[in-house]
Amino acid sequence: MKNKVFFGPAGSPVNYKGAAYKAPKYIQRIGLDSYEYQSPYGVRIGEKSARILKQEAEKFDILISMHGPYYINLCAKESEKIDKSIGHLIATARAGEWMGAYRLVFHPGFYTNQKPEKAMEISKQTINRLFEELEAEGIEDFTFAPETTGKRTQQGNIQEIVELCASFDHFEPTIDFAHIHARGRGYLTKKDDYNCIFSTIENKLDIDRLHCHFTTIEYGHGGEVKHHTLDESDEYGPQIEDLLANLIDNGWNANIICETPLRDIDALKMKELYESMI
C-alpha cells in the first residue's frame, strides 16, 4: 500500500535524458510516486505523446498532474488577454485529458491595479466562459487547480484560491507553501503557522487529495524571488519538516510536487524524511 503522501518532481528528473512523456518508468525506478508535466510556455505536447504518457503512468503507477502556461490571466483588463487565457486553459484541458492528468495547475493572474474584489469578479466571469467553451469542445474530464501565488501583485492568496475552488465544480486548489511563505514575507516559520492554511481549506472545501508544491524560497518586499534547494533550508524557509508533521498529524492525503532546482533528488529527500516520521 502506498503512503498517504505522494512525492514527485515538477518536470523531468534532473538526470533523466529521455522524452518527458516517457519519464514515469524512471520516476518509479528511483522511488517516487508522481510527476507534474510542465507546459509553462505553451501546450506543445501532441495527442500521441500525451496518450503514451498516460499509458506509461498507468503501467508504472505514477500520479500525473500538468502545469499549464504562465501566460494565463483570468482577471486581465484587456478582452484579448482574456480570450488568449481561455485558449491556453482549453489547450491544457485537452492535453490533460489525453494524458490522464488528475490536476491542471495554473496561476490565476495579476491584479494590474485593480482591487482584489474586482479581479475576483472578472476571474469568475472568465471561468464561466471557459466552461461554456469546454462544453462546446467536448472536453469533459478535467480538474483545474489554481495555485497560490508568490508575488503580492498576483491574484492567488489562500483565501482567493479557496474562493475560486468553492465557487466552481471541476476546481481544486494547488497549495504552494513556498509561495504562501514568500507572499507573506516569511509567514511559515514553525509547524503551527500551517494551521490557518489547513483550517481555511477544511472549512470551505471537501478534498480527497491535497495537491501541493514545495521548495525553499528566497523572497523580498514584493514576495517570491528565487527557488532554492533543501540543502539551503538553513538560510531559506519554509521547513519541509513542519509541513510533513501537519500532514501526518491531520491524516491528510497529499501529493507534494517538488519545485526546488533538484526537483527529483529533493523529492526523494522529502519522501525519506516523511517515511522516517510516520
Side-chain angles (χ1 to χ4, degrees):
M1 179 182 290
K2 277 197 171 184
N3 295 323
K4 291 176 72 70
V5 179
F6 296 170
F7 299 85
S12 294
V14 174
N15 295 316
Y16 172 69
K17 304 301 181 186
Y21 61 87
K22 292 186 176 179
K25 180 179 180 179
Y26 181 94
I27 291 169
Q28 190 261 1
R29 182 169 63 80
I30 64 175
L32 293 171
D33 317 289
S34 60
Y35 174 38
E36 189 154 289
Y37 184 87
Q38 303 287 294
S39 294
Y41 304 110
V43 178
R44 296 168 184 169
I45 189 169
E47 181 175 1
K48 181 179 178 181
S49 297
R51 292 194 183 279
I52 291 171
L53 174 55
K54 181 179 181 179
Q55 292 168 3
E56 293 288 294
E58 290 173 349
K59 181 177 180 181
F60 296 104
D61 197 21
I62 297 298
L63 183 64
I64 298 294
S65 54
M66 178 182 179
H67 200 303
Y70 291 153
Y71 313 123
I72 293 162
N73 189 352
L74 297 181
C75 51
K77 291 181 177 180
E78 303 88 351
S79 59
E80 313 88 70
K81 290 184 178 179
I82 295 287
D83 293 343
K84 288 181 179 178
S85 295
I86 290 173
H88 287 307
L89 287 168
I90 290 171
T92 301
R94 184 181 293 111
E97 191 171 65
W98 292 334
M99 71 176 66
Y102 93 117
R103 296 286 187 274
L104 305 172
V105 180
F106 70 97
H107 302 161
F110 288 84
Y111 298 128
T112 52
N113 299 318
Q114 301 175 103
K115 291 184 177 180
E117 297 79 10
K118 180 62 176 178
M120 179 62 69
E121 178 187 337
I122 296 171
S123 290
K124 289 179 178 179
Q125 292 170 357
T126 303
I127 294 167
N128 283 322
R129 269 193 57 199
L130 168 65
F131 282 159
E132 291 173 1
E133 297 195 26
L134 285 167
E135 184 177 2
E137 294 279 344
I139 300 170
E140 300 176 343
D141 188 11
F142 60 89
T143 300
F144 287 109
E147 177 182 342
T148 54
T149 50
K151 291 186 170 64
R152 298 169 78 92
T153 55
Q154 292 175 290
Q155 184 182 52
N157 64 35
I158 183 67
Q159 290 81 11
E160 289 168 333
I161 294 301
V162 167
E163 180 175 345
L164 284 174
C165 293
S167 300
F168 296 97
D169 293 334
H170 300 283
F171 264 61
E172 298 272 1
T174 296
I175 306 301
D176 189 313
F177 292 97
H179 284 168
I180 292 172
H181 181 71
R183 188 181 184 114
R185 300 171 187 155
Y187 179 74
L188 300 173
T189 60
K190 58 186 184 298
K191 178 187 170 185
D192 289 347
D193 292 337
Y194 289 79
N195 292 344
C196 68
I197 298 171
F198 287 111
S199 62
T200 299
I201 297 167
E202 286 180 320
N203 290 340
K204 297 289 182 69
L205 304 174
D206 182 17
I207 295 174
D208 178 55
R209 181 170 297 278
L210 185 65
H211 192 71
C212 312
H213 287 174
F214 192 91
T215 181
T216 50
I217 196 165
E218 182 178 348
Y219 62 87
H221 182 75
E224 175 185 11
V225 173
K226 184 181 179 182
H227 291 195
H228 288 270
T229 68
L230 287 190
D231 285 345
E232 297 173 281
S233 61
D234 286 345
E235 185 174 358
Y236 304 102
Q239 301 297 317
I240 186 62
E241 294 90 342
D242 294 333
L243 171 59
L244 295 178
N246 267 279
L247 293 171
I248 293 167
D249 288 352
N250 294 287
W252 281 85
N253 294 318
N255 180 26
I256 300 180
I257 297 298
C258 178
E259 290 198 316
T260 77
L262 299 176
R263 45 199 174 271
D264 56 308
I265 297 167
D266 278 346
L268 277 170
K269 290 180 180 179
M270 292 180 192
K271 184 173 183 179
E272 289 164 3
L273 177 61
Y274 169 76
E275 291 180 339
S276 74
M277 296 169 68
I278 55 177

